[in-house]
Amino acid sequence: MKKYRNKTLSDTVSTVGSMLLFLLFTGCLLMMIAVAAGTYSRISNNFDKTFGSSAALRYLSNKLRSCGDAEISEHGIILRSDSIADVIYFDGGGLYEKTVMSDGDAEFTGGDRIFELGGMTVSDLGELYKITVTVNGGENSTFVRKG
Amino acid sequence: MNRREKVGGTGLGVGYVTVMMIFAVICMTIFAVLSYSAASSDSAFNKRGGEYLKQYYAADSTAKEKLAMLDAIAKSAADSGFFEDFESAAAEVSGVKVSRVRDGFSANWTVKINDRQELAATVEFTADGGCEITNWQSRTISQDDSGEHLNVWDGSF
Amino acid sequence: MSALKAFSGGKRRPINLFFTEMIIVLLFFSISGAVILKVFASAELKSLQSARLERVMITAQSIAEAYSESGDLTSAAKLVLGDDVVIGETTLLLSDTKTEFHGVGTSYTTLLLENGSISMRAQESGAVSDAGGLYHLTMTFDADGEEIYSLSCSAYIRNGGEER
């Protein structure tokens, strides 16, 4: 107690200064961690977006290139080759695929969820198909020749 | 308390700043490594896609060169009045198999895209100078494993 | 302790360990922060380049597919990039090829994409026979003076390439 009574003005200023410096340092650290987390989040989102749209476009392009006959409808596409048919359609934020026999149940229900997407459309432009996928509000399109 | 006042005299203990700095550096290092890893994966994924596109269009170009040669042969055969000559002339184009169909000939050939895929083309040429692409699709190279069997029990003792 | 007192400048003003620690921590943090910042910067750059490469690849594939069907670069570019695409001057060099096809020459065209930040150099060459024309297109995409992607494709148009 004696020591506190004998505390000088310089000691008080030093204490307050140290506190302020410590707070400033802590604030800067937290801000830098937040910026780092934000950068990681942005890069990660970019990766997800790229992977989602690019992989879906490539997958659909390759499927269209390797099928014998494609049937386009507003719900999705049916890709027929030999005795099997691949049914690919968009529903509820995802792209679904199922493989059935050509003469079997080729309806746009069931199947495995293969990509998380915001939307997918395939349009017939005569000699070309236009595939459009939407991921996180961004739209990407590509063209594929008819086989 | 006495020691702190004697030595530091600031009201703040020694070591807090160090601990916070270590925590911040560890956090930032983890985020930096994760960011770089995600960016690298993205880049590698796109590069692989780009390579595949190059391979596919290289195979497509080769297949189209063959189509152009076959069409030129079919045209000259049709113009000469001896369309039957097409079969022998077309068979000389490397990798092309010709078979007779109802109105003319069917030529089919494959071009390798990469180790796992190939581009298969089938085109029908008719005596009236017609040319129809009936098949132009990429497919997986089939592995001939007909001689291999799983080592399972056949029911005999 | 005497050494510490000596360092602090005497008995009356004892050493302030907090400030000493702060200086050491800041020194270490600035060094490690610089390294971490460099990693972040390269990750960000890689991510941006990757996103740009992806867009370029999708454009290249679309143009290649449209070109394969029509054999016409201008219509393929307009179909993919829209009618307002900036198409630069086309230079045509006539040449002959020593094949059964007759050479129709090589042309060079430049297209600007993404508000001019990416340029596409297109080299088109072709050869025609009595049956049709075989055309080759090589697209080279440049950004910041550096080549980022290149793709070659072909188109075969029957009947002397009358569709061109």
Side-chain angles (χ1 to χ4, degrees):
Chain A
M1 291 301 280
K2 191 183 173 186
K3 282 183 180 166
Y4 281 104
R5 274 201 306 273
N6 293 339
K7 209 173 183 180
T8 60
L9 179 67
S10 66
D11 286 335
T12 313
V13 170
S14 172
T15 307
V16 173
S18 305
M19 285 285 194
L20 285 175
L21 199 64
F22 180 74
L23 284 176
L24 189 73
F25 182 71
T26 311
C28 284
L29 284 186
L30 291 176
M31 202 177 72
M32 286 183 81
I33 291 171
V35 169
T39 309
Y40 168 63
S41 168
R42 195 172 59 249
I43 290 172
S44 181
N45 279 342
N46 271 351
F47 175 60
D48 289 344
K49 198 174 163 183
T50 307
F51 188 82
S53 64
S54 184
L57 280 178
R58 276 181 221 166
Y59 186 75
L60 289 169
S61 304
N62 288 340
K63 279 279 178 187
L64 280 167
R65 280 178 186 143
S66 60
C67 77
D69 178 43
E71 197 181 299
I72 312 287
S73 85
E74 59 179 311
H75 304 292
I77 47 176
I78 301 171
L79 308 164
R80 296 180 196 281
S81 48
D82 299 330
S83 58
I84 57 166
D86 247 348
V87 181
I88 301 174
Y89 66 100
F90 173 77
D91 186 35
L95 196 66
Y96 290 82
E97 182 182 21
K98 68 173 180 180
T99 306
V100 294
M101 298 303 287
S102 269
D103 53 353
D105 167 37
E107 286 181 2
F108 299 106
T109 51
D112 298 318
R113 197 179 175 106
I114 49 173
F115 290 109
E116 299 291 327
L117 294 177
M120 186 278 290
T121 53
V122 181
S123 42
D124 192 338
L125 304 180
E127 293 301 316
L128 294 166
Y129 293 118
K130 185 181 182 184
I131 310 166
T132 307
V133 295
T134 313
V135 179
N136 296 338
E139 207 176 80
N140 273 324
S141 299
T142 193
F143 294 85
V144 180
R145 269 167 294 162
K146 287 186 177 176
Chain B
M1 179 65 93
N2 284 341
R3 188 180 174 275
R4 192 179 70 192
E5 281 169 2
K6 274 177 193 170
V7 180
T10 63
L12 272 174
V14 177
Y16 289 113
V17 178
T18 310
V19 169
M20 287 201 69
M21 190 270 295
I22 289 169
F23 171 73
V25 167
I26 288 172
C27 280
M28 283 168 66
T29 308
I30 289 169
F31 282 130
V33 169
L34 287 174
S35 300
Y36 195 81
S37 156
S40 295
S41 306
D42 197 9
S43 179
F45 172 72
N46 276 328
K47 276 182 184 157
R48 274 202 304 276
E51 276 308 304
Y52 176 76
L53 268 189
K54 284 184 182 181
Q55 290 169 346
Y56 175 79
Y57 285 105
D60 189 64
S61 295
T62 310
K64 280 200 175 116
E65 279 167 18
K66 285 189 178 170
L67 170 64
M69 285 163 79
L70 289 169
D71 200 24
I73 293 168
K75 171 84 175 160
S76 65
D79 288 349
S80 70
F82 297 101
F83 190 65
E84 300 298 311
D85 290 350
F86 173 79
E87 189 172 15
S88 56
E92 284 175 19
V93 179
S94 88
V96 176
K97 289 175 190 159
V98 184
S99 58
R100 194 176 285 273
V101 290
R102 200 162 58 98
D103 298 322
F105 295 100
S106 170
N108 66 75
W109 64 96
T110 57
V111 181
K112 207 171 171 187
I113 298 171
N114 52 34
D115 291 340
R116 290 177 292 115
Q117 282 191 301
E118 63 185 7
L119 184 69
T122 307
V123 183
E124 283 184 16
F125 297 95
T126 51
D128 59 356
C131 163
E132 191 191 352
I133 298 170
T134 54
N135 180 37
W136 196 279
Q137 64 186 68
S138 61
R139 65 185 187 197
T140 309
I141 295 172
S142 53
Q143 301 288 328
D144 184 19
D145 52 1
S146 54
E148 291 177 18
H149 298 286
L150 286 173
N151 188 21
V152 293
W153 180 49
D154 60 0
S156 61
F157 291 99
Chain C
M1 186 56 86
S2 61
L4 284 174
K5 280 180 181 172
F7 180 71
S8 67
K11 284 179 181 178
R12 289 184 64 198
R13 295 180 65 82
I15 186 167
N16 193 329
L17 272 184
F18 173 77
F19 288 113
T20 315
E21 185 191 13
M22 198 79 183
I23 288 165
I24 294 166
V25 160
L26 278 176
L27 186 75
F28 182 79
F29 187 70
S30 56
I31 294 166
S32 53
V35 174
I36 291 166
L37 208 68
K38 206 172 174 181
V39 175
F40 266 118
S42 60
E44 182 86 12
L45 188 69
K46 232 179 165 74
S47 173
L48 289 174
Q49 284 173 345
S50 183
R52 189 175 62 187
L53 179 65
E54 186 222 347
R55 292 196 301 275
V56 161
M57 273 164 33
I58 290 173
T59 307
Q61 182 189 339
S62 298
I63 293 177
E65 290 289 321
Y67 181 81
S68 297
E69 209 45 60
S70 66
D72 182 8
L73 175 63
T74 309
S75 69
K78 283 186 173 172
L79 177 71
V80 174
L81 304 165
D83 288 335
D84 53 346
V85 60
V86 181
I87 300 176
E89 200 177 326
T90 300
T91 318
L92 181 69
L93 300 173
L94 291 171
S95 65
D96 278 322
T97 53
K98 291 174 182 174
T99 63
E100 60 193 283
F101 291 89
H102 312 291
V104 293
T106 305
S107 70
Y108 299 89
T109 312
T110 306
L111 277 80
L112 296 177
L113 303 136
E114 299 191 3
N115 300 322
S117 62
I118 298 172
S119 69
M120 185 190 110
R121 286 179 285 125
Q123 184 190 334
E124 231 184 326
S125 60
V128 291
S129 72
D130 292 340
L134 180 65
Y135 305 97
H136 294 286
L137 171 70
T138 302
M139 293 172 276
T140 309
F141 294 86
D142 299 304
D144 307 323
E146 231 176 272
E147 183 183 318
I148 51 173
Y149 191 62
S150 168
L151 186 68
S152 296
C153 63
S154 299
Y156 178 65
I157 309 295
R158 292 200 77 220
N159 302 323
E162 69 221 5
E163 288 176 38
R164 283 171 71 87

